Amino acid sequence: MSAVSMPAPAVDLTPGRPTLLADSSALIWRALARWRRDPGPLIASLGFNILIVLMFAYLFGGALQVPGGGSYREFLMPGMFVMTMVFGISLTTIAVAEDLERGVTDRLRSMPVSPLAPLAARAVADMLFALVTLGVLLLTGLAIGWRAHGGAAATLAAVGLILLLRFALIWVGIFLGLVARGQTAVVAVQTLEFPLGFLSNAFVAPSTMPAWLGAVAAWNPLSATVGATRELFGNPGWGGDSWAAQHYPWLAVLWPLVLVAVFLPLSVARYRRLAG
């Protein structure tokens, strides 16, 4: 879903005094102001996520067997929560790529702005939208019959793992936005979101796949978060005897940290090369 181009709101930055906190705050407000001026793409994104949930819940539910005979919708929702975090990659990529194409990044580079501020502001702004998205999906899940049975602490831990994954994927999206050129590259990123999401344990048990493909799915970072959140929510899951399946809670923390450790410095390095 491509965002509609709008004039960028003015950024109030203090000349000659670049600081990461002050400059990031100003740029976060810029992003929020842009959403307020042009909420269409964000509303469309939320509507798309709700539509996908309803399609799986009411159209495809009868074709899937729930492990142990539990509630299909309780089985479904942890996977959908994680999938919506994956769909956010393209929103981040589009926002970063559009700033490059419209010259916003060049204008920021010409101002006394902390070189890390634009990236930090994008990460914070997208995390705020991730909170809204996840909140809407939680309410949607409750409306169709999903429930969390693990208690308040376990439920908060599951939400934290989902948002941790989203934070890691934001840096993937930032990096791709900095290296992408043109709408074709952005469309390619959007196209890859679905294979990344479906090549996991969100909807199909890795044990039913060919051995090599099942191993890839079992070690997919999304599988770790889906498996861990199903356990924390007290929802039915696939289980599994692989080492990865037995350690999904740990991998749900480790994988996002690895992604951040890789893509945050890559994004910073790429941005600095742009500024060179």
Side-chain angles (χ1 to χ4, degrees), residues 13 25 30 33 79 81 102 121 123 175 182 189 198 235 237 259-260 269 271 276:
L13 298 167
S25 298
R30 169 188 173 268
F81 296 147
R102 297 203 315 266
F175 177 73
V189 173
F198 283 100
N235 297 151
L259 291 174
V260 172
Y271 185 83

Side-chain angles (χ1 to χ4, degrees), residues 170-193:
I170 283 173
W171 289 103
V172 176
I174 288 174
F175 177 73
L176 294 176
L178 291 171
V179 301
R181 286 294 179 267
Q183 187 63 27
T184 301
V186 173
V187 170
V189 173
Q190 292 176 313
T191 303
L192 289 174
E193 289 175 340

